[in-house]
Amino acid sequence: MELLEASLLASGSTIATVALRRVDPSVKGSIYDLLGKLNFTLLPNTAGCFSAQEARKVAELAREAFETNLVKLEVIGDDVTLLPDTTETLLAAKELVQAGFEVWAYTSDDLIVAQRLEQAGCAAVMPLGSPIGSGLGVLNPHSIALICERLEVPVLLDAGIGTASDAALAMELGCDGVLAASAINRALEPVRMAESLRAAVQAGYLAHHAGRIPPRVHAEASSPMLGRPDLFAQ
Amino acid sequence: MIRVNGELQNFIAATVSNLLSEMGIETRGIAVALNGEIVSRSEWSSTLINDNDSIEVVTAAAGG
């Protein structure tokens, strides 16, 4: 619990997502109390759900437990790849928005699905960079950039971050934020990794808004040719 | 016998509130489902538990 607290603080984040699991009375210390103490916004998730019906139930349990309308909607379609079931996600998103939830939807990096989720009333769309826990980073930067460009609601990169450069790239592509779980809690030194992600998100955000130079195939000298001294005059 | 979080248990509890205190569960940040239906906090003390009921008591856990 101390490591979690130190990592949360080092990350500079103000929002933390939590899963909903059976109470174990033998476990001392509560994540709910810790997040309250640190003044974090609690974002309950529906991790582990495989259908819209299940996700809806878990969201309602979370609302009851934490007195919040926020929910990070996750509906998984396959237990090997943990890739999102976008059909069930869209169905659940519509139902949850109807039921008064503020839905942040985890989804694939497909622009059209992201747009459908926005149209369904999601408050944020969270495309994956790569599969959950893979640490493969952003596998399709073009798709992520397109989603960021075409959506009005905040876009947060969810899943796949392995290290600082992945988070920086996501921000450079135009994301409004990133989610990191495994990247921090499975790192050898979680607190240090949390701090690196904080710096990476800041760097990527600055770079995105600074307007990078367009990449080009050939070199372009930064020093002018004009005004070179003639050092071999006859 | 009732089933609490998947385990068959012998509790003398008559209501959800009784059960939670008998189990020594801290009630901040938890939710209860009885036979798949959510029991809101305000109904814990009036909701009776019957033999063969299945109860889930959940809280926040780490995980994205």
Side-chain angles (χ1 to χ4, degrees):
Chain A
M1 205 60 86
E2 288 84 28
L3 194 58
L4 177 61
E5 178 169 355
S7 302
L8 286 166
L9 290 172
S11 75
S13 177
T14 54
I15 304 172
T17 186
V18 293
L20 209 64
R21 292 294 178 266
R22 287 168 166 172
V23 168
D24 181 351
S26 66
V27 171
K28 289 285 153 255
S30 127
I31 289 178
Y32 177 76
D33 287 343
L34 173 64
L35 294 175
K37 185 182 90 176
L38 299 179
N39 234 346
F40 267 62
T41 298
L42 199 81
L43 175 63
N45 63 54
T46 63
C49 289
F50 283 82
S51 69
Q53 192 191 14
E54 221 182 334
R56 167 90 191 254
K57 202 75 159 186
V58 169
E60 281 168 356
L61 267 175
R63 176 155 71 178
E64 185 61 33
F66 312 129
E67 293 165 358
T68 175
N69 286 329
L70 287 174
V71 64
K72 179 184 165 235
L73 174 63
E74 258 183 83
V75 186
I76 302 305
D78 171 51
D79 60 3
V80 175
T81 61
L82 298 182
L83 289 171
D85 184 327
T86 52
T87 308
E88 289 292 306
T89 300
L90 188 56
L91 186 65
K94 287 176 180 165
E95 289 178 3
L96 288 168
V97 167
Q98 280 286 313
F101 284 90
E102 182 178 315
V103 180
W104 299 26
Y106 167 61
T107 183
S108 66
D109 59 9
D110 183 290
L111 170 64
I112 310 306
V113 174
Q115 285 177 319
R116 293 285 175 270
L117 287 165
E118 181 179 62
Q119 288 157 8
C122 290
V125 174
M126 308 177 75
L128 54 76
S130 50
I132 292 171
S134 70
L136 290 171
V138 181
L139 290 180
N140 198 337
H142 177 68
S143 293
I144 298 298
L146 270 186
I147 292 172
C148 294
E149 192 188 307
R150 303 286 294 134
L151 263 61
E152 301 279 331
V153 297
V155 175
L156 309 167
L157 190 90
D158 190 349
I161 285 185
T163 189
S165 52
D166 301 329
L169 175 60
M171 296 304 290
E172 287 176 30
L173 294 171
C175 289
D176 297 282
V178 305
L179 180 137
S182 307
I184 296 171
N185 63 35
R186 280 168 42 209
L188 282 180
E189 293 187 39
V191 180
R192 198 173 269 197
M193 184 56 84
E195 196 180 336
S196 86
L197 293 185
R198 171 192 200 147
V201 166
Q202 283 172 339
Y205 175 84
L206 285 171
H208 176 67
H209 289 90
R212 61 153 299 156
I213 59 167
R216 48 181 285 144
V217 174
H218 296 296
E220 186 175 277
S222 57
S223 315
M225 291 299 278
L226 192 73
R228 285 184 309 155
D230 185 357
L231 303 175
F232 298 95
Q234 295 293 317
Chain B
M1 295 281 270
I2 56 171
R3 195 174 285 275
V4 181
N5 285 348
E7 304 266 342
L8 277 175
Q9 311 258 12
N10 262 315
F11 279 108
I12 52 165
T15 66
V16 170
S17 289
N18 295 154
L19 177 73
L20 296 175
S21 50
E22 205 176 322
M23 289 174 73
I25 291 175
E26 176 53 63
T27 58
R28 280 192 311 281
I30 71 160
V32 176
L34 177 60
N35 301 324
E37 295 302 319
I38 295 165
V39 183
S40 66
R41 199 169 285 266
S42 58
E43 295 166 347
W44 286 354
S45 57
S46 59
T47 302
L48 300 176
I49 297 172
N50 298 304
D51 209 25
N52 296 321
D53 274 352
S54 175
I55 294 161
E56 294 286 334
V57 186
V58 296
T59 190

